[in-house]
Amino acid sequence: MDRIKVAVMGCTGLVGQQFVRMLHNHPFFTIHALTSSARSAGKKYGETLSWAVEGEIPEPMRELVILETSVESILKTGARIVFSALPASIAEKIESILRGYGLFIFSNASAHRFDEDVPILIPEINSDHLEIVKRQLARTKGFIITNSNCSTSGLAMMLKPLEPFGIQSAIVTTFQSISGAGRRGLSAMDIASNVIPFIKNEEEKIETESRKILGKFDGLKIVNRDMIINASCCRVPVREGHLMGLVIEFEKDVDVRTVENALSLFRGVPQEKRLPTAPEFPIVVRHEEDRPQPVLDIYAGSPERARGMAVTVGRIRKKGRLLNLFLLVHNTIRGAAGTCILNAELALMKRFIRADQTATGGGQE
Ligand SMILES: NC(=O)c1ccc[n+]([C@@H]2O[C@H](COP(=O)([O-])OP(=O)(O)OC[C@H]3O[C@@H](n4cnc5c(N)ncnc54)[C@H](OP(=O)(O)O)[C@@H]3O)[C@@H](O)[C@H]2O)c1
């Protein structure tokens, strides 16, 4: 199969950099364009960048000249798929216009997450929600698929395998790393030796997105899951990885061993279909008394391409119908770029994208 040309919008940011790292030597996709704001446009990727993710800048990307993000610049490159790591306010319009030209947009931005015909896709959890993009394709030439907020991805991954035991409520407290706020997010003066018990809009995103992700697709629309989800969010001075304390209230008693088995044996469509970015086990259960920890566990997941795609859980304790645990998610991999790439792999595998299609002009919405 010829590899499909893709563009990465927001390539200089933390999520954009993860895209560049994870798409290097990808079996299905090849980067043809990188875009940013006017600040970095016109410079070579290897020259302008302060690289902040694992490893080195992939050699072929160093010489690529960054384009200013615009509809015209993306269309000129012939890219079929666009991975978006733009701020939501910028993403909203350009993602819609590019969709109108027949491009397939996989976005980390929150702008379209609650559009009726746009899924918030986490393929292990709700691969059937992909079907809803047919509603977009009925009225325009391309589609937009979003993935969730970074913390939501870890929480939803925990709740899905435990749903059969009857969940009444989930109360979550997050300890979120500074990389969650982006490349220029927080000053050292604010976060060094500190904990900030507020992240704008984060608690609302966790609560509402989880209900949509865990919702049922009835053939026409996604019906939100009716569940109490109550989130409190903190920013902590950790570089990468969001740790979360979770208390789940079940309808009846469930023993710890049953929960551990349900989590560690959990598999989804990406595992069955052996998608390249799918971790063999999406959830890793740790039994030590002091795990998971960001420093030790954020790169959970194998094979190599899926490092950082597994969510780690530990300290599973039961108090009657309440179950306590800690989970850890890599915010810019499983919580952002990695799931976005997995979504594109799923869409290709399910033939929502065909490698031989070409973009069509003049399709503005
Ligand atoms: N960080 C996370 O853990 C995480 C997790 C899930 C989702 N997300 C979402 O993913 C997106 C990217 O997050 P991030 O953390 O990578 O942010 P970031 O580090 O601040 O990067 C933002 C990117 O967008 C570009 N950009 C900013 N303003 C622009 C404009 N007016 N026009 C065109 N490009 C512009 C920046 O280019 P310049 O360098 O040229 O300014 C940069 O490439 C956001 O929507 C965020 O909410 C982030």
Side-chain angles (χ1 to χ4, degrees):
M1 183 182 90
D2 284 344
R3 289 191 294 163
I4 298 173
K5 293 179 184 176
V6 307
V8 175
M9 299 196 296
C11 68
T12 47
L14 295 182
V15 176
Q17 292 184 28
Q18 285 292 8
F19 273 128
V20 170
R21 187 186 70 79
M22 295 186 79
L23 288 167
H24 180 53
N25 285 336
H26 192 283
F28 305 160
F29 310 124
T30 178
I31 293 180
H32 266 241
L34 298 174
T35 82
S36 71
S37 77
R39 272 189 292 269
S40 330
K43 297 170 192 153
K44 287 183 182 169
Y45 194 61
E47 283 170 3
T48 173
L49 200 66
S50 139
W51 187 249
V53 301
E54 203 194 16
E56 302 290 332
I57 302 177
E59 208 47 52
M61 292 297 108
R62 286 185 179 277
E63 293 298 307
L64 208 57
V65 174
I66 300 172
L67 307 172
E68 186 170 349
T69 305
S70 73
V71 173
E72 296 70 31
S73 67
I74 299 276
L75 290 178
K76 268 190 207 153
T77 66
R80 298 288 303 114
I81 289 178
V82 178
F83 291 105
S84 172
L86 294 174
S89 55
I90 310 297
E92 183 166 16
K93 189 168 168 205
I94 190 164
E95 289 179 359
S96 296
I97 297 176
L98 289 171
R99 169 175 61 184
Y101 278 98
L103 270 65
F104 306 118
I105 318 296
F106 293 87
S107 179
N108 285 284
S110 59
H112 293 283
R113 284 181 192 150
F114 286 94
D115 293 1
E116 266 217 334
D117 52 8
V118 173
I120 307 177
L121 200 61
I122 302 180
E124 281 89 347
I125 299 176
N126 60 357
S127 63
D128 59 320
H129 289 198
L130 182 59
E131 293 293 315
I132 206 163
V133 304
K134 288 181 180 161
R135 278 180 55 189
Q136 297 182 55
L137 289 167
R139 67 179 168 83
T140 185
K141 293 175 184 160
F143 58 67
I144 298 172
I145 290 176
T146 64
N147 56 310
S148 71
N149 163 277
C150 37
S151 301
T152 310
S153 66
L155 175 65
M157 191 71 89
M158 254 344 86
L159 296 179
K160 180 67 183 179
L162 301 180
E163 274 193 317
F165 305 117
I167 298 174
Q168 279 194 331
S169 66
I171 298 174
V172 64
T173 305
T174 70
F175 306 86
Q176 298 185 215
S177 64
I178 48 179
S179 58
R183 192 82 189 85
R184 302 182 185 83
L186 288 157
S187 77
M189 190 61 205
D190 290 329
I191 195 65
S193 311
N194 197 13
V195 174
I196 303 171
F198 174 69
I199 304 175
K200 197 165 192 279
N201 298 330
E202 193 78 357
E203 291 159 2
E204 296 81 352
K205 281 184 189 170
I206 292 173
E207 292 169 8
T208 53
E209 290 178 17
S210 301
R211 292 191 194 102
K212 178 167 177 178
I213 292 164
L214 295 169
K216 274 212 163 24
F217 176 59
D218 69 5
L220 196 64
K221 59 185 184 311
I222 294 162
V223 181
N224 286 351
R225 174 80 158 83
D226 184 17
M227 181 194 289
I228 297 167
I229 298 172
N230 184 335
S232 305
C233 297
C234 299
R235 188 74 69 193
V236 297
V238 166
R239 190 180 162 94
E240 287 179 308
H242 294 351
L243 185 73
M244 301 159 73
L246 175 61
V247 181
I248 302 173
E249 183 186 7
F250 290 100
E251 283 157 15
K252 343 186 246 267
D253 249 10
V254 185
D255 67 273
V256 168
R257 183 60 65 85
T258 306
V259 166
E260 285 178 352
N261 283 343
L263 294 173
S264 58
L265 297 175
F266 177 64
R267 303 283 200 93
V269 172
Q271 284 70 36
E272 277 164 33
K273 300 293 178 193
R274 297 180 169 272
L275 298 181
T277 308
E280 195 180 350
F281 294 98
I283 299 174
V284 174
V285 178
R286 305 287 320 198
H287 297 281
E288 300 88 333
E289 62 183 11
D290 58 356
R291 302 283 281 273
Q293 294 181 23
V295 166
L296 301 176
D297 297 310
I298 43 165
Y299 288 106
S302 63
E304 182 64 23
R305 184 166 288 288
R307 268 166 59 76
M309 286 294 284
V311 177
T312 306
V313 57
R315 302 218 47 230
I316 302 177
R317 294 146 287 152
K318 186 173 103 76
K319 297 162 188 176
R321 289 187 297 110
L322 298 180
L323 188 91
N324 289 39
L325 56 82
F326 280 96
L327 68 102
L328 178 75
V329 60
H330 195 307
N331 51 297
T332 58
I333 299 181
R334 171 52 86 172
T339 296
C340 232
I341 294 170
L342 194 59
N343 287 342
E345 292 169 2
L346 181 78
L348 189 65
M349 189 273 288
K350 294 225 171 190
R351 303 184 68 77
F352 280 78
I353 300 170
R354 290 207 329 268
D356 55 356
Q357 281 169 309
T358 49
T360 45
Q364 294 199 30
E365 298 191 319

